């Protein structure tokens, strides 16, 4: 990644983090793809609207949906994923909101991705199903540093690696768990992949982002690496519904 892109990413991250702190339901982050634009009255726009509408019905019951609308050159591909513990109504609320919001944030981009705590929505004019998306990726970190970073980092890595191992073996490609810390609080973690990935690619994706722990979250009390195909989160408090 170029240094200017990295600098702007850091800026955006700080901004996103502040936003998130201020309003829980706002998107955490988004990217507008620079692969192509559409103009006013472009048929692609209609296909995109149809797609996001379709996903807002298709995804909620199982927590994952995928589909395409239109035909080349006006074909739109998309997927929506809700966090594994999110209820069907909350999933639907999130995907609907994501569709509305991304349309405002990336009004003429043929591709885009947006993340909330409860869901992600991604679309593109090129087919991307089953491919690990390492390009759309961002970090969030807590800002509070633990007193014993070395052992904490080790515990974090162990927990997330364990959860990566569990997630890829489940149909939902999702796992949560906790571990004891030396001292009082527990450490809670989550790993999840989009379900267009094969289970072995899910594992690769998770191993890849866990490898980013030192650059993301060194000694941080909580953190996340969030990509277009997989993400993890850890905190010293429980953050998913049982
Ligand atoms: C798409 O539009 C944005 C501004 O709306 C512009 O900056 C960008 O260069 C355009 N990209 C393409 C591929 O046309
Ligand atoms: C990106 O994708 C490959 C698989 O093609 C994976 O093995 C790699 O670790 C991924 N993750 C990162 C963060 O680079």
């Amino acid at each position: 990644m170029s240094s200017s892109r990295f600098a702007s990413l850091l800026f955006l991250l700080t901004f996103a983090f502040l936003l998130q702190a201020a309003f829980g339901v706002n998107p955490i982050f988004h990217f507008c793809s620079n692969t192509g634009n559409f103009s006013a009255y472009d048929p692609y726009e209609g296909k995109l609207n149809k797609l996001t509408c379709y996903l807002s019905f298709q995804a909620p019951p199982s927590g994952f949906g995928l589909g395409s609308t239109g035909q080349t050159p006006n074909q739109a591909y998309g997927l929506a994923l809700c966090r594994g513990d999110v209820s069907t109504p909350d999933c639907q609320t999130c995907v609907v909101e994501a569709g509305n919001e991304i349309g405002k944030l990336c009004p003429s981009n043929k591709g885009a991705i947006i993340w909330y705590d409860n869901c992600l929505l991604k679309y593109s004019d090129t087919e991307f199903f089953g491919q690990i998306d390492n390009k759309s990726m961002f970090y969030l970190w807590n800002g509070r540093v633990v007193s014993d970073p070395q052992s904490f980092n080790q515990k974090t890595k162990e927990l997330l690696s364990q959860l990566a191992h569990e997630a890829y073996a489940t149909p939902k490609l999702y796992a949560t768990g906790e571990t004891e810390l030396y001292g009082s609080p527990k450490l809670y973690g989550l790993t999840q992949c989009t379900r267009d990935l094969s289970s072995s690619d899910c594992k690769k994706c998770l191993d890849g982002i866990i490898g980013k722990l030192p650059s993301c979250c060194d000694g941080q009390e909580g953190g996340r690496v969030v990509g277009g195909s997989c993400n993890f989160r850890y905190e010293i408090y429980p953050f998913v519904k049982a």
Side-chain angles (χ1 to χ4, degrees), residues 33-38 107-110:
S33 156
N34 57 10
T35 53
N37 291 344
F38 57 84
S108 58
N109 300 79
K110 288 192 171 181

Side-chain angles (χ1 to χ4, degrees), residues 132-134 137 201 204-205 207-210 212:
I132 300 176
D133 175 3
N134 280 335
M137 191 177 292
D201 279 346
K204 270 188 214 160
C205 187
D207 286 345
I209 60 170
I210 290 168
K212 300 286 180 194

Side-chain angles (χ1 to χ4, degrees), residues 1-223:
M1 192 184 300
S2 73
S3 63
S4 69
R5 174 138 183 251
F6 189 64
S8 65
L9 188 62
L10 279 182
F11 167 76
L12 282 170
L13 285 179
T14 312
F15 184 64
F17 195 72
L18 291 175
L19 262 185
Q20 191 205 5
F23 322 92
V25 295
N26 273 37
I28 305 173
F29 207 68
H30 74 277
F31 289 110
C32 306
S33 156
N34 57 10
T35 53
N37 291 344
F38 57 84
S39 44
Y41 310 114
D42 193 312
Y44 186 79
E45 185 168 19
K47 302 304 172 198
L48 209 47
N49 291 339
K50 211 172 147 191
L51 176 68
T52 53
C53 179
Y54 170 76
L55 291 173
S56 71
F57 286 99
Q58 209 227 352
S62 74
F64 178 70
L66 158 152
S68 94
T69 53
Q71 282 178 338
T72 322
N74 292 306
Q75 190 163 6
Y77 304 84
L79 62 77
L81 175 73
C82 288
R83 201 171 73 183
D85 63 317
V86 168
S87 69
T88 298
D90 288 351
C91 179
Q92 179 153 42
T93 303
C94 190
V95 176
V96 168
E97 176 63 23
N100 292 338
E101 200 60 28
I102 196 68
K104 290 180 215 153
L105 293 167
C106 310
S108 58
N109 300 79
K110 288 192 171 181
I113 182 166
I114 187 166
W115 292 268
Y116 289 75
D117 269 337
N118 281 354
C119 70
L120 91 78
L121 174 70
K122 176 181 174 176
Y123 53 76
S124 171
D125 63 330
T126 49
E127 210 252 329
F128 61 87
F129 303 148
Q131 293 161 31
I132 300 176
D133 175 3
N134 280 335
K135 278 180 296 183
S136 329
M137 191 177 292
F138 66 95
Y139 308 158
L140 290 177
W141 55 91
N142 180 297
R144 279 191 299 269
V145 176
V146 297
S147 52
D148 53 345
Q150 224 173 355
S151 68
F152 186 86
N153 289 346
Q154 183 58 30
K155 279 280 182 188
T156 305
K157 186 162 185 232
E158 275 169 23
L159 175 63
L160 293 174
S161 302
Q162 166 70 28
L163 294 176
H165 202 78
E166 285 174 29
Y168 95 99
T170 68
K172 275 179 98 175
L173 303 181
Y174 168 75
T176 58
E178 57 191 65
T179 188
E180 302 288 335
L181 287 174
Y182 318 106
S184 39
K186 282 185 181 174
L187 184 64
Y188 300 84
L190 170 156
T191 56
Q192 187 171 20
C193 298
T194 58
R195 281 182 242 155
D196 57 317
L197 293 192
S198 66
S199 103
S200 63
D201 279 346
C202 172
K203 184 71 168 45
K204 270 188 214 160
C205 187
L206 289 172
D207 286 345
I209 60 170
I210 290 168
K212 300 286 180 194
L213 266 173
S215 34
C216 153
C217 309
D218 182 26
Q220 293 289 320
E221 220 174 71

